[in-house]
Amino acid sequence: MKPVFIVFFGPPGCGKGTQAKRIGDDLGLVQVSTGELFRKHLSEKTRLGLKAQEYMAQGALVPDEITIGMVRERLQQPDIKTGAIFDGFPRTDAQARALDDLLSEFGGKVNMVIDFALPIQVSRQRLMGRQEGRADDRPEVIEKRLNDHAEVEARVMPHYGAKPGLVKQIDANRSIDEVHEDVRALIKGVLC
Ligand code: ADP
């Protein structure tokens, strides 16, 4: 069977990480979250983690070269054989193109993009209320991440929007369970 690759796209706080984790466990797809990979590198104090921290603490994007290199390395691990859900990647046009190239090495491609739609004021409320102790959940950094998301969307979505039917929108302004049901139905449709 060909591997299945899905991109979760949406503003900070839209719940894509939560959903990726849950659906991944449920349907046997691995979650590849660049934010989490960076935080893991940082907790292990790797060179990559320390470099990424300079950008993350400001709410700025980590340079493409570093980010793409980290994803390339992650995709070489054996658990990716059946596919993956990308959460927080790609965030630039260069990352989107690099992902296509990386997946073609698996004989795969991006099978679906799920776009988690959430009003900016709801994102803000959720991030302000988050108690995970993340260094980038400070109010001024939250504002920057929220503002930059429009730019990220303008850079990434044209890459996928050009392919008819690839992008599926989901209303992320609902309970975790309700969103999960929709995500599950969409992904099941790709798996069979
Ligand atoms: P959120 O979506 O809540 O902003 P993430 O965990 O996805 O959080 O990302 C946290 C930070 O990690 C980002 O603000 C950025 O600095 C860095 N990062 C994550 N993914 C990428 C990416 N694809 N390209 C560049 N930087 C990234």
Side-chain angles (χ1 to χ4, degrees):
M1 222 175 79
K2 278 203 166 186
V4 169
F5 296 103
I6 310 222
V7 170
F8 279 11
F9 188 84
C14 72
K16 57 190 189 305
T18 305
Q19 296 292 343
K21 212 163 275 147
R22 190 156 160 189
I23 204 76
D25 294 345
D26 193 2
L27 299 179
L29 288 171
V30 173
Q31 175 196 16
V32 177
S33 158
T34 39
E36 277 189 18
L37 286 172
F38 283 133
R39 285 188 285 277
K40 184 162 182 283
H41 271 277
L42 183 57
S43 73
E44 291 166 1
K45 298 211 162 43
T46 69
R47 234 174 64 188
L48 189 150
L50 294 171
K51 185 85 206 140
Q53 184 191 26
E54 296 169 23
Y55 299 90
M56 292 170 78
Q58 312 296 321
L61 290 185
V62 178
D64 282 339
E65 208 183 285
I66 301 177
T67 308
I68 292 168
M70 180 179 70
V71 172
R72 180 181 297 119
E73 195 184 293
R74 178 67 188 88
L75 291 182
Q76 278 157 4
Q77 292 170 25
D79 59 345
I80 304 288
K81 288 239 158 42
T82 50
I85 295 173
F86 295 95
D87 154 23
F89 182 87
R91 271 169 145 111
T92 66
D93 184 50
Q95 291 180 12
R97 283 184 278 116
L99 183 60
D100 287 346
D101 292 343
L102 288 170
L103 297 186
S104 70
E105 290 170 24
F106 284 81
K109 60 176 182 179
V110 172
N111 297 94
M112 181 181 280
V113 178
I114 302 186
D115 182 12
F116 289 71
L118 192 70
I120 187 163
Q121 66 274 21
V122 181
S123 289
R124 185 181 292 115
Q125 273 165 10
R126 288 187 183 179
L127 294 178
M128 298 284 189
R130 199 147 83 172
Q131 303 280 331
E132 290 169 8
R134 269 173 54 169
D136 57 352
D137 277 349
R138 288 177 288 133
E140 62 279 18
V141 181
I142 286 176
E143 274 319 306
K144 173 162 171 49
R145 283 157 58 214
L146 288 173
N147 290 331
D148 289 354
H149 179 69
E151 208 178 299
V152 168
E153 186 161 14
R155 286 190 298 219
V156 171
M157 281 322 228
H159 184 84
Y160 296 123
K163 297 171 188 145
L166 186 68
V167 180
K168 308 286 184 196
Q169 268 227 347
I170 268 193
D171 173 8
N173 196 7
R174 294 175 298 159
S175 73
I176 292 178
D177 286 344
E178 285 171 307
V179 176
H180 172 74
E181 278 315 307
D182 282 6
V183 171
R184 194 170 196 282
L186 283 173
I187 297 184
K188 281 228 134 185
V190 180
L191 288 176
C192 57

